Amino acid sequence: MDGTVPTMVFLMFIYLSSLSIKADIPLGSSFSPNGGTHSSLWVSPSGVFSFGFYKQGDGFGVGIWLDGVKNVIVVWSANRDDPPVTSNATLQLTAEGINLVDQGQGKLIANANATTFYASMHDSGNFVLYNKESNITWQSFDYPTDTILGDQTLPSGGQLVSSYSNTNHSTGRFHLKMQDDGNLVLYPLNTDDEPVDAYWSSGNSGFNGFRFHLYLNKTGILVIRNGSDLNLNAINCLHGDSFSNNNNNGNQTIYRATLDYDGFFRLYVHVNNGDGSKIENWPKGNACAVRAFCGFNSYCTFSDDQPYCQCLQGFDYIDPNERTLGCKRNFSEGECRGEKDNAASYNMVSMENINWGDRAYSKAIMSQEEECSSSCLADCNCWAALYDGGVCKKQEPPLRYVKRTIVANSATTTTAFLKVGNISIGHRKVNDKPVPDQPLPIIKTTSSKATNWDLGLNEEVALRRFSYSELKQATKGFREELGKGSFGAVYKGSLYKGKRLIAVKRLEKLVEDGEREFQAEMRAIGKTHHRNLVRLFGYCAEGSKRLLVYEYMSNSSLGKLLFGDGRLPEWNERVRIALNIARGILYLHEECEAPIIHCDIKPQNILMDEFWTAKISDFGLAKLLMPDQTRTFTGVRGTRGYVAPEWHKNIPISVKADVYSYGIVLLEIICCRRNLEVNVSKPEEILLSNWVYKCFIAGELNKLVLWEDVDINIIETMVKVALWCIQDDPVIRPTMKSVVLMLEGVTNIAIPPPPTSS
Ligand SMILES: *[C@@H]1O[C@H](CO)[C@@H](O)[C@H](O)[C@H]1NC(C)=O
Ligand SMILES: *[C@@H]1O[C@H](CO)[C@@H](O)[C@H](O)[C@H]1NC(C)=O
Ligand SMILES: *[C@@H]1O[C@H](CO)[C@@H](O)[C@H](O)[C@H]1NC(C)=O
Ligand SMILES: *[C@@H]1O[C@H](CO)[C@@H](O)[C@H](O)[C@H]1NC(C)=O
Ligand SMILES: *[C@@H]1O[C@H](CO)[C@@H](O)[C@H](O)[C@H]1NC(C)=O
Ligand SMILES: *[C@@H]1O[C@H](CO)[C@@H](O)[C@H](O)[C@H]1NC(C)=O
Ligand SMILES: *[C@@H]1O[C@H](CO)[C@@H](O)[C@H](O)[C@H]1NC(C)=O
Ligand SMILES: *[C@@H]1O[C@H](CO)[C@@H](O)[C@H](O)[C@H]1NC(C)=O
Ligand SMILES: *[C@@H]1O[C@H](CO)[C@@H](O)[C@H](O)[C@H]1NC(C)=O
Ligand SMILES: *[C@@H]1O[C@H](CO)[C@@H](O)[C@H](O)[C@H]1NC(C)=O
Ligand SMILES: *[C@@H]1O[C@H](CO)[C@@H](O)[C@H](O)[C@H]1NC(C)=O
């Protein structure tokens, strides 16, 4: 008797409260647009969000919207690319989900994963279907289109896709991807989503674990979270502070993050059903910062607060009323027969301050603009060339990501050359609207190479995780071996249909480390970005297999260059290479996030790219072999002839071990011979380090480079630096920072003592 009444009251309370809070929609409910502009019977309790028909074109779309004062703001669309439905269409809640019937055709637009019993349009903007036990069988928050709302998540691997326009909610031109690696990246749609296509990223590359997701909380905090912990375990807060503490005193505040049709990802706040105001946007900058804002063969300029898309010379708008769609050729492409024929049917026209962010298929150093232009004219694959700081970059059609940048006060100019045919495609239609005055004339001003063209985004956006089979395919079954390093063999391969060459390193002699340590290491390496380091693109960790994917270095190693049969690099080239290497090591030691001791600096580990830039490889891998670099090790790492004496002395290894190895390499660069060389005229020359010190003391440095004419002051500088580096006592050796400053001639160099104290 005592217990029954309270229990009943309690049950009734639950029943009533669930009814009022969830605004339950019973099974069988249905409605039609009835011809209005938008129509719904399924409205959230506060009336802010509705599920129903919104006006789209001549008919209706189905989705969820927010009622603004002036506008209906659609936050979710069902089957967005289906044609609009008629005013006779009906929406019906069935046990299977939501059924949309139009002109005799039925279609489930919400496919419930269990038998549905009722639905609710929540004040959060989430439309949810439930079973009898009130368990969720479907919810709109699981299928975001271009928007996430407060308390909604964009999961790892998920994406937002922009709408076509403000009023047409079909698929548009951009997407925002929450990548598995923890990076949130904006790309144009229908590209390879390679780094070159990205126009903004949160910069959280190199993580792994498929745990990272974008989350907007109800008070407007927009974060990338790690795992599902409720305590906002954020690895990156995109928006946070100012609004979060706002006390809205009863004013209803709704946050919304939308990938807008123009390619910007924006965060909005709506207070009391207002039309919303923008809080923040990504990327920063104007519309021309959005890659592919202008379509193929057109370029973006920004003027009077407006972006303009204009056709490159030789091109006409595909649709003069939709200029962002891009441009098409207005000349017919003749058969390409090489230089002579091309000169007859094509002209090269030049445009100043035009630049594009696409990857060139060919880059070559050329001293003259004209050389670049004529090289493109003669090349059947080339449709445009960019002469930029002495480098000629050739491009195939279509031309993407083109914009005009004008930066004053700079020394270097960029010139774009376009190949334009002189045979017209038919006649221009008379009723084509004339092209209005260009917002700015193409004036010749100087532009800087350091434009914000790249917005800091380039190849470094993400470290990719590859599957083993992907790499097997990329290397054609590990067919072409490029060499064998201390960690295993390296194979040549290619990605993206052969567009990018890669070097795949199979790691063999690893300590039995777990996947976690390996990934931690990859993350550390992935964060290193320096022009004198070989770039890591990604890796594979599958079962016991560990592979690394590097950029391909076309011009072999410094070892082959110095000790091979080919032409020896000239003195000036060698000085430059020595400085390249020093800068790379300095970066590893002092400038990257976690200092890295290389442990195996030697000419074989220094690779040359097509421009003869020296890049250090194999860095960051030492840790995979040795658990803790700061302790003493019994096993010596590194390569005979280059390892510092402390490796044999049971004293801790520090960055100074690399300084020693660098000193030896520097001597080898100066003299173009190995440190240990038996085939020499006099026995005293066998060990290079001893011989160099003897020559230095005797004032006979010219003996070291008898075959060439070298400024003796420069050689003396380099020799002194090298001798300081190879001091037995690590404490006496300079840091890499000092080495660079000395080589650059910024600091004076004292006379070095004999390298070996004994
Ligand atoms: C929306 O845009 C798409 C893509 O251009 C187009 O196919 C569709 O017809 C448009 N819909 C409406 C209602 O205008
Ligand atoms: C809607 O249905 C009515 C009656 O069947 C029909 O006359 C009308 O043409 C339909 N409207 C549309 C837009 O299909
Ligand atoms: C409903 O959820 C409860 C717990 O939330 C669970 O115990 C039950 O198995 C679920 N029922 C169904 C049919 O999924
Ligand atoms: C059905 O989907 C909801 C989310 O929409 C999920 O929470 C639930 O676990 C799913 N149920 C089943 C049986 O898969
Ligand atoms: C949103 O996140 C902030 C910061 O963690 C927190 O203070 C606030 O309570 C959160 N709001 C909601 C509604 O969860
Ligand atoms: C993510 O969380 C996992 C588990 O808590 C942790 O091991 C990992 O280090 C975290 N990653 C980042 C990048 O914070
Ligand atoms: C509530 O909103 C109204 C209108 O936007 C504004 O004037 C008022 O200051 C707001 N109240 C608070 C406490 O923010
Ligand atoms: C146009 O091309 C033809 C060859 O196709 C050539 O004979 C002619 O000289 C060119 N005319 C001009 C103006 O370049
Ligand atoms: C192509 O269009 C340009 C304007 O962009 C014009 O100057 C040129 O004469 C046209 N060429 C042909 C072959 O029609
Ligand atoms: C080095 O690069 C140049 C220019 O790209 C090329 O001509 C040469 O063949 C390359 N050498 C090697 C050894 O690959
Ligand atoms: C030793 O050096 C001389 C001249 O430098 C060379 O001609 C000879 O081939 C070398 N011998 C060996 C075994 O490398």
Side-chain angles (χ1 to χ4, degrees):
M1 185 77 190
D2 292 11
T4 38
V5 172
T7 308
M8 273 190 65
V9 171
F10 182 61
L11 282 175
M12 269 185 73
F13 174 73
I14 290 185
Y15 180 65
L16 289 174
S17 64
S18 70
L19 255 190
S20 58
I21 289 172
K22 287 179 185 152
D24 289 356
I25 300 154
L27 214 55
S29 303
S30 76
F31 62 93
S32 290
N34 303 324
T37 50
H38 53 283
S39 155
S40 173
L41 291 177
W42 298 346
V43 180
S44 74
S46 68
V48 179
F49 286 102
S50 307
F51 186 115
F53 297 97
Y54 58 83
K55 195 83 190 143
Q56 167 106 331
D58 296 335
F60 295 87
V62 174
I64 298 169
W65 67 85
L66 175 65
D67 271 311
V69 176
K70 289 183 236 130
N71 299 311
V72 163
I73 295 148
V74 174
V75 296
W76 182 80
S77 320
N79 299 21
R80 66 199 299 195
D81 290 320
D82 282 0
V85 295
T86 69
S87 55
N88 286 346
T90 56
L91 274 175
Q92 186 173 32
L93 182 62
T94 71
E96 288 79 41
I98 302 164
N99 201 17
L100 172 68
V101 182
D102 188 30
Q103 296 172 320
Q105 301 271 323
K107 191 169 192 174
L108 268 189
I109 58 164
N111 197 350
N113 59 8
T115 305
T116 295
F117 199 64
Y118 67 95
S120 288
M121 180 69 250
H122 291 281
D123 277 337
S124 61
N126 194 9
F127 190 79
V128 186
L129 308 186
Y130 297 92
N131 68 5
K132 235 175 187 152
E133 286 87 37
S134 294
N135 294 6
I136 294 174
T137 61
W138 184 90
Q139 55 182 336
S140 61
F141 269 18
D142 284 348
Y143 305 92
T145 49
D146 61 356
T147 296
I148 59 169
L149 295 163
D151 211 20
Q152 190 173 357
T153 287
L154 185 64
S156 177
Q159 63 170 352
L160 299 181
V161 178
S162 67
S163 289
Y164 185 76
S165 72
N166 260 341
T167 50
N168 180 343
H169 300 282
S170 300
T171 296
R173 303 196 292 135
F174 306 95
H175 60 164
L176 174 75
K177 286 173 89 171
M178 183 66 246
Q179 297 184 166
D180 299 337
D181 63 2
N183 212 354
L184 184 71
V185 189
L186 282 166
Y187 301 101
L189 266 181
N190 304 321
T191 65
D192 292 338
D193 294 349
E194 286 185 56
V196 72
D197 303 307
Y199 60 89
W200 176 81
S201 90
S202 64
N204 309 94
S205 61
F207 301 135
N208 213 292
F210 307 91
R211 298 167 47 87
F212 301 96
H213 53 260
L214 181 67
Y215 176 72
L216 176 64
N217 95 349
K218 286 205 158 168
T219 48
I221 314 275
L222 187 63
V223 289
I224 296 169
R225 285 203 302 188
N226 176 12
S228 56
D229 313 346
L230 288 172
N231 60 351
L232 283 191
N233 185 9
I235 59 163
N236 189 335
C237 191
L238 297 176
H239 177 81
D241 356 278
S242 54
F243 267 79
S244 55
N245 299 325
N246 249 15
N247 182 0
N248 287 301
N249 280 350
N251 277 347
Q252 184 189 45
T253 309
I254 289 161
Y255 290 88
R256 155 176 87 91
T258 300
L259 177 58
D260 282 322
Y261 76 96
D262 60 0
F264 282 94
F265 183 49
R266 294 191 180 91
L267 180 64
Y268 295 91
V269 63
H270 299 259
V271 181
N272 288 343
N273 307 3
D275 281 320
S277 52
K278 187 191 87 183
I279 301 174
E280 215 170 316
N281 59 273
W282 301 272
K284 308 293 175 198
N286 68 44
C288 292
V290 174
R291 282 209 168 175
F293 178 82
C294 294
F296 291 162
N297 306 316
S298 65
Y299 63 94
C300 190
T301 55
F302 198 80
S303 166
D304 296 332
D305 254 6
Q306 284 228 38
Y308 293 86
C309 296
Q310 291 172 269
C311 289
L312 289 163
Q313 242 175 298
F315 294 87
D316 285 338
Y317 292 105
I318 290 169
D319 178 353
N321 300 315
E322 287 276 7
R323 301 226 163 147
T324 56
L325 288 181
C327 303
K328 58 181 191 295
R329 280 199 187 110
N330 72 346
F331 55 87
S332 51
E333 190 181 333
E335 203 183 326
C336 180
R337 293 204 196 80
E339 196 159 2
K340 270 224 178 90
D341 263 31
N342 286 356
S345 38
Y346 296 103
N347 292 316
M348 295 302 292
V349 297
S350 71
M351 293 175 88
E352 297 293 329
N353 304 313
I354 290 285
N355 205 332
W356 49 80
D358 213 356
R359 190 179 298 122
Y361 72 86
S362 149
K363 289 184 204 169
I365 296 173
M366 290 183 189
S367 53
Q368 300 290 325
E369 274 186 15
E370 292 72 29
E371 201 184 335
C372 183
S373 166
S374 54
S375 152
C376 181
L377 181 62
D379 181 344
C380 295
N381 295 318
C382 182
W383 286 93
L386 199 63
Y387 188 73
D388 181 4
V391 178
C392 182
K393 302 175 191 166
K394 293 199 265 185
Q395 207 72 39
E396 287 168 307
L399 293 169
R400 305 186 299 172
Y401 313 147
V402 188
K403 64 181 188 178
R404 196 164 54 119
T405 45
I406 298 177
V407 180
N409 309 327
S410 173
T412 52
T413 37
T414 309
T415 309
F417 295 100
L418 303 169
K419 192 190 267 180
V420 175
N422 72 356
I423 304 161
S424 170
I425 298 176
H427 293 288
R428 284 168 74 117
K429 275 186 257 138
V430 188
N431 62 356
D432 266 5
K433 278 191 198 149
V435 181
D437 282 343
Q438 301 189 340
L440 285 170
I442 308 283
I443 38 171
K444 180 158 183 162
T445 55
T446 50
S447 78
S448 162
K449 278 213 297 175
T451 57
N452 65 350
W453 173 249
D454 261 321
L455 302 162
L457 276 163
N458 42 36
E459 308 291 319
E460 296 154 15
V461 175
L463 201 59
R464 219 181 116 184
R465 186 176 180 146
F466 293 88
S467 71
Y468 184 74
S469 63
E470 222 176 329
L471 294 183
K472 198 169 162 189
Q473 199 181 8
T475 56
K476 300 205 168 80
F478 302 100
R479 215 164 53 189
E480 193 178 336
E481 189 177 306
L482 294 169
K484 260 202 159 65
S486 35
F487 297 90
V490 186
Y491 301 89
K492 187 171 177 175
S494 67
L495 292 174
Y496 310 118
K497 302 184 192 100
K499 275 190 278 176
R500 180 187 289 163
L501 293 177
I502 52 170
V504 178
K505 181 172 302 214
R506 270 171 103 139
L507 301 184
E508 276 146 25
K509 300 152 207 156
L510 292 184
V511 279
E512 289 297 314
D513 253 349
E515 168 148 357
R516 196 126 62 82
E517 287 78 2
F518 178 73
Q519 285 185 1
E521 227 39 57
M522 289 306 100
R523 224 173 293 143
I525 300 173
K527 281 183 191 160
T528 57
H529 299 299
H530 191 273
R531 70 184 294 266
N532 300 120
L533 300 181
V534 176
R535 164 113 27 83
L536 182 69
F537 286 145
Y539 61 92
C540 163
E542 226 176 84
S544 61
K545 297 188 184 80
R546 298 285 183 272
L547 297 95
L548 305 182
V549 180
Y550 287 102
E551 65 177 315
Y552 176 73
M553 303 290 282
S554 57
N555 261 330
S556 95
S557 73
L558 179 63
K560 287 225 177 77
L561 203 58
L562 293 179
F563 317 133
D565 309 325
R567 176 187 72 91
L568 285 178
E570 282 167 17
W571 174 249
N572 286 340
E573 254 172 81
R574 302 207 308 277
V575 173
R576 185 177 55 81
I577 290 169
L579 202 50
N580 278 176
I581 303 165
R583 289 191 180 123
I585 304 174
L586 169 61
Y587 175 86
L588 288 177
H589 287 181
E590 294 181 26
E591 291 164 9
C592 62
E593 228 163 90
I596 294 173
I597 308 177
H598 189 294
C599 294
D600 199 10
I601 297 281
K602 58 179 175 182
Q604 290 73 24
N605 275 341
I606 294 161
L607 305 182
M608 311 299 292
D609 75 2
E610 56 185 323
F611 303 119
W612 298 98
T613 305
K615 299 187 184 219
I616 300 167
S617 77
D618 271 2
F619 56 90
L621 300 183
K623 259 199 193 159
L624 295 174
L625 295 172
M626 309 178 296
D628 185 346
Q629 290 204 26
T630 56
R631 298 228 191 91
T632 313
F633 314 105
T634 41
V636 175
R637 305 291 174 195
T639 305
R640 256 180 77 127
Y642 302 93
V643 299
E646 58 266 30
W647 284 102
H648 305 283
K649 288 186 188 159
N650 219 31
I651 54 174
I653 296 305
S654 71
V655 290
K656 295 293 184 67
D658 285 349
V659 175
Y660 181 92
S661 307
Y662 176 76
I664 299 291
V665 172
L666 185 53
L667 291 178
E668 295 183 331
I669 292 174
I670 296 169
C671 305
C672 290
R673 57 155 276 197
R674 289 175 205 275
N675 189 29
L676 188 69
E677 178 63 76
V678 205
N679 183 14
V680 285
S681 46
K682 290 181 204 140
E684 64 182 37
E685 295 178 16
I686 289 177
L687 195 61
L688 182 61
S689 42
N690 285 353
W691 184 45
V692 169
Y693 186 68
K694 282 204 180 95
C695 294
F696 175 68
I697 293 302
E700 297 173 335
L701 286 177
N702 59 324
K703 273 190 174 174
L704 298 174
V705 284
L706 281 178
W707 69 94
E708 63 191 339
D709 196 15
V710 170
D711 183 338
I712 204 72
N713 290 320
I714 298 180
I715 194 171
E716 191 183 310
T717 300
M718 297 191 48
V719 163
K720 282 201 288 194
V721 171
L723 292 173
W724 275 112
C725 289
I726 60 169
Q727 294 294 314
D728 258 6
D729 184 354
V731 178
I732 300 178
R733 290 175 215 150
T735 61
M736 276 326 282
K737 180 91 209 159
S738 314
V739 168
V740 168
L741 291 175
M742 290 189 286
L743 288 177
E744 284 173 344
V746 177
T747 44
N748 290 326
I749 313 168
I751 304 292
T756 319
S757 40
S758 55

